[in-house]
Amino acid sequence: MKIINRYMNLLIPVIAVILGLLSGALVMLVSGYDPILGYGALWNGIFGDPYNIGDTVRLMTPYILTGLAVAFAFKTGLFNIGVEGQVIVGWLAAVWVGLAFDLPKIIHLPLAIFAAALAGALWGFIPGLLKARFRVHEVIVTIMMNYIALYATNAIIQSVLTKGSDTTEEIAATASLRSETFEMLTNYSRMHYGILIALAAAFIMWFLLERTTKGYELRAVGFNQDAAHYSGMNVNRSIILSMVISGAFAGIAGAMEGLGTFQYASVKSGFTGIGFDGIAVALLGGNTAIGVIFAAFLFGGLKVGALNMPLEANVPNELVEIVIALIIFFVASSYFIRWLLLRFKKGEK
């Protein structure tokens, strides 16, 4: 069937989500919980109140950007596991600019976001350089860079930005992404202007990869480095550039947290998880810009809606984590779903 061929990339994540939800319902049933009541509570937790909708959008904002970071690297033949570290350094850089300067908002806010992008890009440049010059696998380097980012930023917060404190002061209002309009519309949730930046970033990624010569070159290197080299492309420069752009997306995700949601930086005992969730968001979104937006909304909704499940249905939050894990499992099993769809297509003939 032509419809299956045309919408194969859309059908696979949709079927994966449905299978994940059905499997989650089965887990709830086996565990002694009512799945209809549980999913009803999840739905109400996402859409039942303007505050919940606003908080879902607030959480999907960094997910869009981390998903774009992973997807961009993947589209160019790289696997950026260091998104988490790039988020952390971007968060710190944005807050530092928000604290250190006294500028008009029209300069201060873009400068803080630019600093976050620059910090993330620098954190992506290092594994990109090592990959391009010495063929050191980017997965190993980026994993190590995550830990360096975590402990280095903790040390900077305690010894440079504060006098031994675990939390910095709040940033200046001129560097804040907080929106009184969004807060009023969503019953004073923490939704902020960052969602507009995230959507713009998705458009930039699509335009860069699909509508520019440089994007074509980056994708060509991702498809086949040898062919790209023999056609005259600078493979090493493309690898570094890809990691830099990917890191910049992740750094801006950190700015969304530092300038929007929290307004400060603090010592972290562990990873935020935003960067690692970005891998799943990119996978579910098929590594496309529009797919990442929808996948980020799904993940944000599940995380926010899960908070309502213990209250309304007595279902523990951990079960939602199981549902998310099952969705990722089925997305990772896309080959099996594709095989089933093709079998169905043959059966129709």
Side-chain angles (χ1 to χ4, degrees), residues 98-99 101-106 108-109 170-180 259 263:
L99 289 170
F101 298 96
D102 184 15
L103 297 166
K105 192 177 185 78
I106 196 171
H108 203 181
L109 180 57
E170 285 205 1
I171 58 170
T174 50
S176 174
L177 282 167
R178 188 167 283 170
S179 163
E180 291 184 2
L259 305 179
Q263 311 277 309

Side-chain angles (χ1 to χ4, degrees), residues 305-338:
L307 302 175
N308 196 44
M309 294 179 76
L311 301 175
E312 283 194 15
N314 202 30
V315 176
N317 290 337
E318 289 77 7
L319 273 178
V320 179
E321 297 293 337
I322 293 175
V323 173
I324 293 174
L326 288 169
I327 291 172
I328 296 169
F329 169 78
F330 284 113
V331 171
S333 308
S334 59
Y335 175 80
F336 176 69
I337 297 174
R338 187 183 297 273

Side-chain angles (χ1 to χ4, degrees), residues 111-315:
L111 183 65
I113 295 171
F114 176 74
L118 190 64
L122 176 63
W123 225 248
F125 170 79
I126 297 169
L129 179 66
L130 293 174
K131 168 82 174 185
R133 295 295 301 273
F134 306 108
R135 292 294 178 258
V136 180
H137 204 291
E138 74 275 12
V139 170
I140 304 297
V141 180
T142 50
I143 289 174
M144 296 298 106
M145 294 289 287
N146 285 337
Y147 288 95
I148 296 171
L150 177 64
Y151 295 117
T153 53
N154 282 349
I156 291 172
I157 289 171
Q158 288 188 314
S159 59
V160 179
L161 296 185
T162 69
K163 295 179 180 177
S165 175
D166 290 343
T167 306
T168 68
E169 296 178 1
E170 285 205 1
I171 58 170
T174 50
S176 174
L177 282 167
R178 188 167 283 170
S179 163
E180 291 184 2
T181 304
F182 285 154
E183 287 177 356
M184 288 179 63
L185 288 173
T186 58
N187 200 15
Y188 296 98
S189 75
R190 290 181 292 175
M191 182 179 173
H192 52 78
Y193 285 126
I195 185 63
L196 304 178
I197 296 171
L199 295 176
F203 175 78
I204 290 170
M205 172 182 150
W206 169 80
F207 187 81
L208 178 61
L209 285 178
E210 305 296 336
R211 291 290 185 272
T212 66
T213 306
K214 179 56 69 177
Y216 174 80
E217 184 177 323
L218 294 175
R219 284 189 293 126
V221 171
F223 280 128
N224 191 317
Q225 291 187 9
D226 293 329
H229 175 72
Y230 285 115
S231 64
M233 297 177 187
N234 190 326
V235 173
N236 288 344
R237 188 172 63 191
S238 294
I239 290 173
I240 296 173
L241 183 61
S242 295
M243 287 300 293
V244 165
I245 295 174
S246 174
F249 280 132
I252 297 173
M256 299 300 104
E257 298 297 87
L259 305 179
T261 302
F262 295 100
Q263 311 277 309
Y264 60 82
S266 60
V267 170
K268 298 172 182 59
S269 58
F271 293 121
T272 66
I274 297 170
F276 296 123
D277 286 342
I279 298 172
V281 169
L283 191 63
L284 185 61
N287 294 307
T288 62
I290 186 70
V292 163
I293 292 173
F294 286 113
F297 179 77
L298 175 68
F299 269 68
L302 287 173
K303 295 276 186 181
V304 172
L307 302 175
N308 196 44
M309 294 179 76
L311 301 175
E312 283 194 15
N314 202 30
V315 176

Side-chain angles (χ1 to χ4, degrees), residues 25-45:
L26 188 62
V27 171
M28 277 191 264
L29 206 58
V30 170
S31 304
Y33 300 102
D34 185 344
I36 297 176
L37 202 61
Y39 282 139
L42 181 67
W43 177 269
N44 290 334

